Amino acid sequence: AIFPWRGDSMSFYRDQLVNSAYKFDFPIHKPWFELTEEQKQLVWDGNAHFIGLHKFFGMLEEKSYKIQNRVMLSRYRGKTKCNVCNGKRLRPETDYVKVGGASISSLVGLSIEKLILFFNDLKLNESDATIAARLLVEINTRLGFLDKVGLNYLTINRKSNTLSGGESQRINLATSLGSSLVGSMYILDEPSIGLHPRDTENLIEVLLSLRNLGNTVIVVEHDEDIMKAADVVIDIGPEAGTHGGEVVAQGTLKEILKSKSLTAQYLNGKMEIKVPKERRTSKNHITINGVRENNLKNINVTFPLDMLTVVTGVSGSGKSTLVKKLLYPIVLKETGGYGEKAGQHTSVEGKYKHIKHVEFVDQNPIGRSSRSNPVTYIKAYDDIRSLFAGQKLSKIRNYQAKHFSFNVDGGRCEKCKGEGEITVEMQFMADVHLECETCGGKRFKKEVLEVTFNNANIDDVLNMTIDDAIQFFETGEQTKIVTKLKPLQDVGLGYVTLGQSSSTLSGGEAQRIKLASFLIKGSTKEKALFIFDEPTTGLHFHDIQKLLKSFNALIKKGHSIVVIEHNIDLIKCADYIIDLGPGGGENGGQLLAEGTPEEVVKSKKSYTANYLKEKIN
């Protein structure tokens, strides 16, 4: 287990430990992960019989003038738990103050579930009870709300940057609940993101309790259960982009179901996402044995390839750890890429040599710059610029493709440098963005805008939605451009304008633009493994239908897809499900069920099985 001691030069330190292990009953034949915390600590600290790791590296640091020591330190040093506070981040003196026999440093490492029990059982003397009366009410209420929104598996000292989007949003919700406001308006944007249907039920209870306190709760949502729990539904449509923007139905759920809107048709069963008639099978797979990173309990997991595999489970059950910290880095390394070190596991086996690269399609923005937009990301803008450069007026004026770019000098407005707006820096406040007076926000010089194709200039084209642009270029017989734009329409982004700034796109939209770019490149001979993290974020039933079509198109071309997902409509269309649980945090990390949806439904332990039953039968 101690890698630096493997070679001949350092074997003295290993032999010291191995040969004297019997003196202090140390199990040298056990794998590291099976050792107790005390035994692991002993290896770090050492004793009278052998030199521990801390002292070993201390000796290397003392003699860091030797090149071999510096090389060794650079190879084996990384972030590890502080050996003074043991990762609690508090000074040792804080342990001297105890409440109910426990110090603050022992409490911050507990899960919210265990903290609730601690404060419920807390017995104080009379004077302490008087001091703590109001504080205990606040502590218990706030912990109670974190429990209610399904976060009882989190520890108090968990770092914010390790939380998922759904967890962060629910912490904000618990904070609002904790303040117990009355007569307020709460506006929530898709609070069900990252939630398993079981957790969504708890969330609905929380939203109803907010309403019952006398607050107004407005939720932007696609989740079927939350729609059914609402007092009033406002349905906007009929479709998206230029074909949307109207209130197509409003009222109670019963009234909505009578309307002809797309939402109503999916809710009342006239339209549906059909369960596939047959599930794909494949002999190719990746099996990871002995997975024990974070809360995963030494499980063996098989990911079938050449099909749609979905990883499910309640929030905090270990899905992201399994896929992001194990599957992705392992396949990346096997295909010759490099990235983060894979999490703890014993071995990898299977038939996966045909996978030549792996793509992790996350919800990070496709570009932070205001100049980045969907049409530049999928490389269609190059063809559009060439088209305008080929027009008669362009040739007379000697315009080239670069004159239709807002990134280089030539055709762009020089006042705003092609931004379309002027940024006024305010000393102590947020910057103010004003429309450029010279070009009127059109980004280009007046004479460049005089060049038209089918009566539209470059600015008109950038302001078209994907749907309108496809129609426009089809009429102009520009098949090359249409071919590149079509995948954006296929993944349900027909409403986005070609020149919309990437920074204004949601996480789900960014993820689908990435998917579209892969659909364009997807016909390559090299087969890839695509990993998606909750691709249904922000998607209506109708859009999920389109997303599944795109997935099937990728699989048809010989690629493999693994998805982390909570949406039952997508889960029921999977060829293979890997279900983790049963709970979150310490209560999760076990493999509850795996197989086709029909096989998973039979599982008695799985929460997902209960919700899947309704959709498959």
Side-chain angles (χ1 to χ4, degrees), residues 205-236:
E205 272 179 43
V206 170
L207 297 177
L208 294 177
S209 66
L210 271 178
R211 176 201 68 185
N212 297 341
L213 282 171
N215 298 300
T216 302
V217 183
I218 297 172
V219 185
V220 178
E221 192 50 87
H222 294 102
D223 184 86
E224 191 175 339
D225 295 326
I226 294 182
M227 285 187 219
K228 287 177 176 172
D231 299 311
V232 173
V233 179
I234 300 170
D235 194 18
I236 309 244

Side-chain angles (χ1 to χ4, degrees), residues 295-356:
N295 66 337
L296 294 167
K297 309 279 195 299
N298 196 18
I299 55 175
N300 303 332
V301 187
T302 298
F303 293 91
L305 300 171
D306 313 325
M307 58 168 77
L308 176 59
T309 302
V310 179
V311 182
T312 62
V314 300
S315 306
S317 58
K319 302 182 299 298
S320 297
T321 302
L322 177 63
V323 175
K324 290 184 191 174
K325 289 199 175 178
L326 284 134
L327 177 68
Y328 177 57
I330 285 169
V331 180
L332 192 62
K333 192 180 173 190
E334 293 286 338
T335 54
Y338 57 90
E340 265 187 47
K341 186 178 173 219
Q344 289 185 45
H345 63 284
T346 306
S347 62
V348 181
E349 56 192 41
K351 288 185 177 177
Y352 53 90
K353 291 290 175 254
H354 66 297
I355 299 288
K356 296 300 177 207

Side-chain angles (χ1 to χ4, degrees), residues 236-245 262 465 467 492-496 543 546:
I236 309 244
E239 289 197 22
T242 45
H243 306 297
L262 275 173
T465 62
D467 288 338
L493 288 175
Y495 59 90
V496 173
D543 298 318
K546 292 176 184 173

Side-chain angles (χ1 to χ4, degrees), residues 333-394:
K333 192 180 173 190
E334 293 286 338
T335 54
Y338 57 90
E340 265 187 47
K341 186 178 173 219
Q344 289 185 45
H345 63 284
T346 306
S347 62
V348 181
E349 56 192 41
K351 288 185 177 177
Y352 53 90
K353 291 290 175 254
H354 66 297
I355 299 288
K356 296 300 177 207
H357 59 271
V358 56
E359 300 284 354
F360 189 83
V361 190
D362 58 14
Q363 299 196 358
N364 291 341
I366 56 170
R368 299 187 186 279
S369 141
S370 55
R371 296 169 187 278
S372 162
N373 52 43
V375 79
T376 54
Y377 189 82
I378 58 158
K379 306 281 188 287
Y381 196 43
D382 300 346
D383 298 320
I384 293 170
R385 287 190 296 136
S386 303
L387 173 69
F388 275 91
Q391 298 308 303
K392 205 173 180 182
L393 185 58
S394 291

Side-chain angles (χ1 to χ4, degrees), residues 97 109 112 116 200 392 410 448 601:
V97 181
I112 285 156
I116 291 172
T200 307
K392 205 173 180 182
V448 170
V601 158

Side-chain angles (χ1 to χ4, degrees), residues 423-484:
T423 303
V424 182
E425 286 185 19
M426 306 294 278
Q427 239 28 92
F428 303 107
M429 290 184 287
D431 294 347
V432 174
H433 301 278
L434 302 172
E435 192 180 86
C436 171
E437 291 173 6
T438 311
C439 65
K442 294 190 172 179
R443 297 177 167 213
F444 295 95
K445 289 176 180 169
K446 201 175 164 194
E447 49 272 31
V448 170
L449 293 172
E450 287 168 5
V451 178
T452 59
F453 170 75
N454 281 3
N455 299 324
N457 62 29
I458 190 79
D459 177 61
D460 297 332
V461 169
L462 287 172
N463 284 321
M464 287 179 187
T465 62
I466 307 285
D467 288 338
D468 297 342
I470 287 173
Q471 213 173 343
F472 173 76
F473 287 117
E474 270 175 350
T475 314
E477 294 177 0
Q478 297 299 317
T479 46
K480 198 177 175 189
I481 298 171
V482 172
T483 308
K484 286 189 176 174

Side-chain angles (χ1 to χ4, degrees), residues 551-567:
F551 280 172
N552 291 331
L554 274 177
I555 295 168
K556 241 183 200 157
K557 288 173 180 171
H559 303 296
S560 306
I561 298 178
V562 172
V563 182
I564 301 172
E565 193 50 83
H566 291 106
N567 186 291

Side-chain angles (χ1 to χ4, degrees), residues 232-282:
V232 173
V233 179
I234 300 170
D235 194 18
I236 309 244
E239 289 197 22
T242 45
H243 306 297
E246 294 173 35
V247 174
V248 287
Q250 180 170 354
T252 61
L253 186 71
K254 270 187 184 172
E255 290 163 346
I256 293 286
L257 291 175
K258 289 173 192 165
S259 79
K260 288 180 180 163
S261 77
L262 275 173
T263 309
Q265 289 184 58
Y266 277 99
L267 286 175
N268 60 28
K270 280 184 185 164
M271 289 176 85
E272 63 171 342
I273 296 168
K274 287 192 164 64
V275 176
K277 286 191 173 71
E278 54 184 289
R279 312 286 181 188
R280 297 178 187 92
T281 55
S282 169

